[in-house]
Amino acid sequence: MLLIELDRQIGDGDHGANMDKGFTAAVAKLEAGAETVQDVLKVVAQTLMSTVGGAAGPLYGTAFLRASKALGDDTEVDAAGVAALIGGALEGIVARGKATTGEKTMVDAWTPALAAAQAVAEAGGSATEALYAASKAALEGAEATIPMQATKGRASYLGERSIGHQDPGATSTAYLLAAAADASGIA
Ligand code: ADP
Ligand code: MG
């Protein structure tokens, strides 16, 4: 799996397994029932926080919790809702991890994803279009982490040796948004 390989290069190789474990547990919890988008995001947040170790568990957990709150009481999520949700996720990640762009973390994927979703919302596009644009921007953001030197998280221990590798967390962010886009197209 790509995430495991990427995390093996500049981390400890657990990121793919961490994500797999967390989201498998979240799907199982959701099968027990969640009514609204806010509920779904909250259940995912709680499950990630309690089942995923490492840096990514608390970071993604906070991201999903803030995303849920950012939606307010809206029951239908449009492109502006997608932008609000991604904005909430990014705020949560920054509040917890204190990283800014250019530090070779998932912030380098969520930041362009937010801009892309906002652009679609302003142009009057749909929620699915906003999610696809966000996932594409996140993937480009993840690829742009290759020449960066990591200054946060485990990869920062490598110093200059972190250069030349794609950040696993930024990559999983792109996958997550792509999965959300695919799922929203079906609904
Ligand atoms: P660990 O590093 O504890 O093994 P994971 O492998 O699950 O945790 O996740 C690593 C990912 O977490 C990195 O690729 C990076 O994107 C993200 N990350 C690490 N520290 C931070 C931080 N302070 N802010 C934002 N993202 C971070
Ligand atoms: Mg790791």
Side-chain angles (χ1 to χ4, degrees):
M1 198 177 168
L2 178 67
L3 292 178
I4 296 175
E5 185 48 36
L6 290 177
D7 195 36
R8 195 168 285 143
Q9 287 166 5
I10 57 168
D12 54 359
D14 65 349
H15 188 60
N18 285 347
M19 295 296 286
D20 191 37
K21 184 179 166 202
F23 283 94
T24 302
V27 168
K29 281 260 181 68
L30 289 174
E31 275 164 3
E35 292 287 314
T36 62
V37 183
Q38 286 90 332
D39 285 345
V40 170
L41 293 169
K42 211 185 291 170
V43 168
V44 173
Q46 285 159 353
T47 314
L48 293 181
M49 292 215 212
S50 60
T51 59
V52 182
L59 286 165
Y60 273 123
T62 310
F64 275 85
L65 200 61
R66 293 283 191 101
S68 164
K69 289 199 178 127
L71 284 178
D73 298 329
D74 294 350
T75 48
E76 288 281 312
V77 180
D78 57 7
V82 168
L85 183 162
I86 293 174
L90 175 60
E91 267 178 40
I93 290 162
V94 170
R96 192 162 264 265
K98 310 272 184 280
T100 59
T101 51
E103 296 200 271
K104 201 184 185 89
T105 72
M106 58 176 73
V107 171
D108 293 307
W110 285 99
T111 303
L114 173 59
Q118 282 169 337
V120 171
E122 275 157 31
S126 69
T128 300
E129 284 165 346
L131 283 167
Y132 272 117
S135 72
K136 188 166 171 284
L139 190 58
E140 286 163 5
E143 285 165 358
T145 65
I146 295 173
M148 293 176 188
Q149 179 173 334
T151 47
K152 285 281 188 305
R154 199 182 291 276
S156 67
Y157 307 158
L158 291 177
E160 286 182 3
R161 281 184 295 134
S162 65
I163 295 171
H165 303 281
Q166 188 169 313
D167 179 62
T171 309
S172 62
T173 296
Y175 289 175
L176 208 118
L177 290 168
D182 285 344
S184 81
I186 300 162

